[in-house]
């Protein structure tokens, strides 16, 4: 919506009587973003509005709205709450929980957390996403900007919807799975969300992306177990045949790693045999180049 056609704050307030303390904080193309307070429970929320006539161009097409409405019905401690989706006046809108915590994108402002805390944070988000996957709803747009973290590492929340669906996948950087960037998969899949969560785990553990770390296993950079290496490497494997196929299996292996996050143990997850298309993974500690097979996929992503 052009700036000279924007509604006044009084007009916005009249369109959303369920909210108070509405303040404009920014814009992303035709989308305007406000902070507000939900009158019913005093929860801090984000209000995002797009002119309905431009909603389809922006990516808020009917399918996106139906998926968003289903998400409204879900609530999980690993997901930021989506309270309402609909139309008001000239706008299509989303009202979602607003977390006061820093985003993963601002990781440099957060202290280092333990491997066990990192594993638990990712497990919590994975369990939340699993409630959506069971309804055949896949996120497909997980980025560091959509993940909020408490400074003490005690909680992590994922906004369970890609609020900028019109953005090219390459804008997601490394978080866009290779099969999405290359177009090998035309629709979102469970593996795409698992890939993004695997990268989130790698970053929480090492405070680096795999490329920044020279594709090193986490155990060569921090004190963690072989089970941690195994769950990370399988989650971000560019070959979808070798990656986890569902969040249930991913969570099961996260639990094994959580049981012994910093040392070798009998329950360590065995490395899966690789297909001929992907070199076999060397799970021995001290090997700093075992992510070399990721290089082609990440170059495509960048």
């Amino acid at each position: 919506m052009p700036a000279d056609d924007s509604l006044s704050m009084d007009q916005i307030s009249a369109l959303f009587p369920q909210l108070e303390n509405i303040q404009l904080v920014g814009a992303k193309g035709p989308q305007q973003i406000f902070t507000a307070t939900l009158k019913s429970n005093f929860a801090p929320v984000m209000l995002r509005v797009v002119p309905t006539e431009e909603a389809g161009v922006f990516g808020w097409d009917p399918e996106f709205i139906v998926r968003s409405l289903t998400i409204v019905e879900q609530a999980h401690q690993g997901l930021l709450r989506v309270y309402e989706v609909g139309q008001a006046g000239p706008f299509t809108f989303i009202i979602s929980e607003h977390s006061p915590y820093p985003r993963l994108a601002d990781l440099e402002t957060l202290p280092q957390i333990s491997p066990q805390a990192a594993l638990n944070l990712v497990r919590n988000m994975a369990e939340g996403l699993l409630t959506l996957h069971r309804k055949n709803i896949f996120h497909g747009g997980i980025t560091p900007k959509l993940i909020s973290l408490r400074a003490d590492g005690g909680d992590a929340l994922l906004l369970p919807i890609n609020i900028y669906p019109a953005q090219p996948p390459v804008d997601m950087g490394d978080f866009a799975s290779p099969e999405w960037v290359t177009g090998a998969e035309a629709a979102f899949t469970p593996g795409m969300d698992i890939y993004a969560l695997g990268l989130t785990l790698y970053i929480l553990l090492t405070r680096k992306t795999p490329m920044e770390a020279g594709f090193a296993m986490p155990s060569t950079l921090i004190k963690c177990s072989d089970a941690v290496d195994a769950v990370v490497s399988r989650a971000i494997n560019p070959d979808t045949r070798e990656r986890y196929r569902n969040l249930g299996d991913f969570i099961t292996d996260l639990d094994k790693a959580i049981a012994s996050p910093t040392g070798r143990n009998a329950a360590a997850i065995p490395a899966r045999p690789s297909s001929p298309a992907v070199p076999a993974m060397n799970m021995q500690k001290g090997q700093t180049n075992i992510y070399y097979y990721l290089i082609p996929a990440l170059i495509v992503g960048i």
Side-chain angles (χ1 to χ4, degrees):
M1 174 174 286
D4 56 2
D5 289 338
S6 296
L7 301 183
S8 69
M9 291 305 301
D10 286 342
Q11 290 172 309
I12 291 290
S13 296
L15 289 174
F16 298 98
Q18 69 273 49
L19 304 178
E20 59 186 1
N21 304 322
I22 302 175
Q23 297 184 20
L24 179 67
V25 295
K28 183 84 172 180
Q31 183 184 100
Q32 296 179 65
I33 306 168
F34 303 83
T35 58
T37 302
L38 201 61
K39 289 181 181 179
S40 61
N41 62 3
F42 307 106
V45 297
M46 299 293 290
L47 165 66
R48 296 173 173 86
V49 301
V50 173
T52 298
E53 62 185 15
E54 300 182 56
V57 176
F58 183 69
W60 291 16
D61 55 26
E63 181 182 350
F64 173 81
I65 297 301
V66 169
R67 187 166 65 248
S68 302
L69 287 169
T70 302
I71 290 172
V72 169
E73 301 171 1
Q74 305 301 307
H76 187 276
Q77 61 181 355
L79 303 177
L80 284 165
R81 184 75 181 268
V82 179
Y83 286 102
E84 192 175 352
V85 177
Q87 292 184 349
F91 298 114
T92 297
F93 70 89
I94 296 174
I95 298 174
S96 62
E97 181 181 356
H98 176 42
S99 169
Y101 305 134
R103 299 293 190 261
L104 180 60
D106 304 316
L107 186 64
E108 66 276 3
T109 67
L110 298 167
Q112 177 70 55
I113 61 175
S114 69
Q116 188 164 41
L119 290 160
N120 277 311
L121 292 178
V122 171
R123 188 197 187 285
N124 199 38
M125 290 186 287
E127 194 174 62
L129 275 181
L130 181 58
T131 66
L132 300 181
H133 282 203
R134 285 170 174 161
K135 294 182 175 294
N136 291 318
I137 297 175
F138 311 119
H139 195 297
I142 298 173
T143 71
K145 292 181 180 179
L146 299 186
I147 298 172
S148 63
L149 301 163
R150 257 179 33 190
D152 61 3
D155 200 5
L157 292 166
L158 169 66
L159 186 64
I161 190 171
N162 179 9
I163 53 177
Y164 307 124
Q167 285 186 315
V170 291
D171 284 357
M172 293 166 60
D174 291 348
F175 278 67
S177 64
E179 66 272 19
W180 179 251
V181 173
T182 61
E185 291 283 355
F188 297 145
T189 67
M192 293 176 185
D193 287 348
I194 293 168
Y195 183 89
L197 288 179
L199 284 175
T200 298
L201 178 56
Y202 190 99
I203 291 170
L204 288 173
L205 290 167
T206 69
R207 303 181 75 83
K208 301 175 184 290
T209 66
M211 182 168 284
E212 289 170 340
F215 308 100
M217 277 291 185
S219 63
T220 67
L221 303 173
I222 63 168
K223 181 177 173 55
C224 67
S225 67
D226 295 339
V228 174
D229 282 347
V231 71
V232 169
S233 62
R234 185 176 173 192
I236 63 175
N237 196 311
D239 187 335
T240 57
R241 297 167 298 179
E242 302 300 320
R243 195 184 310 154
Y244 292 103
R245 293 180 181 272
N246 61 76
L247 279 169
D249 291 344
F250 181 50
I251 291 169
T252 295
D253 282 358
L254 282 171
D255 286 338
K256 294 177 183 177
I258 288 169
S260 182
T262 58
R264 293 178 180 274
N265 65 95
I269 308 159
R272 286 168 56 86
S274 296
S275 67
V278 178
M281 292 181 287
N282 184 344
M283 296 303 297
Q284 295 180 355
K285 292 185 178 181
Q287 300 295 321
T288 59
N289 62 347
I290 47 183
Y291 277 94
Y292 70 94
Y293 66 92
L294 276 173
I295 293 175
L298 290 179
I299 289 175
V300 170
I302 293 171

